[in-house]
């Protein structure tokens, strides 16, 4: 179990690093979203920290990662036309609010990753 947990943490770290390596859309005027990107990085770190300290189970971690992926996809879709409108920014912020709330709830519930061995 410990090996799979460590592998999951390594995968999360790699995924978050590769997600931020793809920044060409930020060079297009009107698609720069620094607040959204910073918040995404903070939430990714919170998920990784919960996975590493055992406050998130593997299944909870997977679900939160999937939810974070949906926010990423919505952000990419918003940037696809060359401009992120105020309405799109509000929608992304609302999605991130929900994700943040879910991270908090899952990290502070009674479930914990099972102890190794």
């Amino acid at each position: 179990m410990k090996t799979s947990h460590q592998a999951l943490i390594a995968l999360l770290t790699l995924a978050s690093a590769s997600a931020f390596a793809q920044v060409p859309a930020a060079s297009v005027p009107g698609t720069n979203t620094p607040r959204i990107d910073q918040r995404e990085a903070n939430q990714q770190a919170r998920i990784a920290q919960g996975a590493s300290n055992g406050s998130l189970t593997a299944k909870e971690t997977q679900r939160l990662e999937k939810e974070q992926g949906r926010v990423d996809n919505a952000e990419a879709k918003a940037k696809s036309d060359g401009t992120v409108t105020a309405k799109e920014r509000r929608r992304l912020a609302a999605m991130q609010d929900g994700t943040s709330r879910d991270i908090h709830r899952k990290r502070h519930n009674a479930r914990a990753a099972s102890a190794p061995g």
Side-chain angles (χ1 to χ4, degrees):
M1 180 69 181
K2 186 174 183 175
T3 305
S4 65
H5 194 66
Q6 289 173 338
L8 180 61
I9 293 169
L11 179 65
L12 292 175
T13 305
L14 181 63
S16 63
S18 67
F20 291 106
Q22 304 169 2
V23 213
S27 62
V28 178
T31 61
N32 195 8
T33 55
R35 287 183 181 169
I36 293 169
D37 295 337
Q38 182 59 52
R39 192 162 175 201
E40 183 178 331
N42 292 345
Q43 289 179 347
Q44 196 67 42
R46 289 170 57 206
I47 294 169
Q49 184 181 21
S52 67
N53 70 17
S55 62
L56 290 173
T57 65
K59 193 167 197 164
E60 287 172 336
T61 303
Q62 287 174 335
R63 286 184 179 163
L64 290 171
E65 282 293 329
K66 190 174 183 180
E67 187 172 355
Q68 193 69 28
R70 284 192 291 269
V71 175
D72 292 341
N73 290 340
E75 181 180 7
K77 185 177 179 186
K79 289 180 177 183
S80 68
D81 65 355
T83 303
V84 181
T85 64
K87 184 177 181 179
E88 289 169 331
R89 289 177 195 275
R90 283 191 304 271
R91 180 172 179 260
L92 289 168
M95 289 177 76
Q96 286 182 323
D97 288 345
T99 301
S100 181
R101 191 170 33 253
D102 290 344
I103 293 168
H104 177 80
R105 287 178 180 161
K106 298 234 184 286
R107 283 189 65 187
H108 294 90
N109 63 12
R111 294 182 194 89
S114 59

